[in-house]
Amino acid sequence: MAKTASALHILVDTEQQANDLLDQLAQGADFQQLAKKHSSCPSKRDGGNLGEFRQGDMVPTFDKAVFSCELLKPFGPVKTQFGYHIIKVLYRN
């Protein structure tokens, strides 16, 4: 049976931008507000919400992070061919 997850993410161009956003999140900033303001992914309209997806649906580096990082805690930066992601996994099944 396939595993599924639901996650939010923020996609930026540089590792420095990702680390700056992680610092803001650590100080209590709202993940979805930061996604709307800074993410270059179309999901930014929904606060970075990627919805539910199956293991293997995303690029390997992103997929590995989603299915191994701590739930509800911003994780990153994760580098893919699209840029640098900060990921917040809402749940896994």
Side-chain angles (χ1 to χ4, degrees):
M1 188 164 129
K3 287 185 182 178
T4 60
S6 180
L8 308 173
H9 84 133
I10 303 170
L11 176 63
V12 293
D13 293 332
T14 69
E15 189 172 10
Q16 184 60 53
Q17 286 174 295
N19 284 321
D20 290 346
L21 292 170
L22 278 170
D23 288 344
Q24 291 179 49
L25 290 165
Q27 295 170 18
D30 181 81
F31 194 101
Q32 291 183 289
Q33 290 301 319
L34 289 180
K36 287 178 181 180
K37 186 173 180 182
H38 299 283
S39 186
S40 61
C41 180
S43 69
K44 75 186 214 171
R45 288 188 307 273
D46 297 321
N49 192 346
L50 296 170
E52 187 174 282
F53 50 90
R54 284 202 296 263
Q55 192 168 13
D57 284 353
M58 302 295 182
V59 295
T61 310
F62 188 92
D63 200 65
K64 182 179 179 186
V66 166
F67 287 94
S68 63
C69 71
E70 190 176 335
L71 292 176
L72 302 175
K73 183 178 178 197
F75 179 80
V78 175
K79 186 178 187 325
T80 69
Q81 68 262 41
F82 304 107
Y84 292 86
H85 305 261
I86 299 169
I87 303 166
K88 183 177 180 181
V89 179
L90 303 177
Y91 64 83
R92 284 189 288 264
N93 291 320

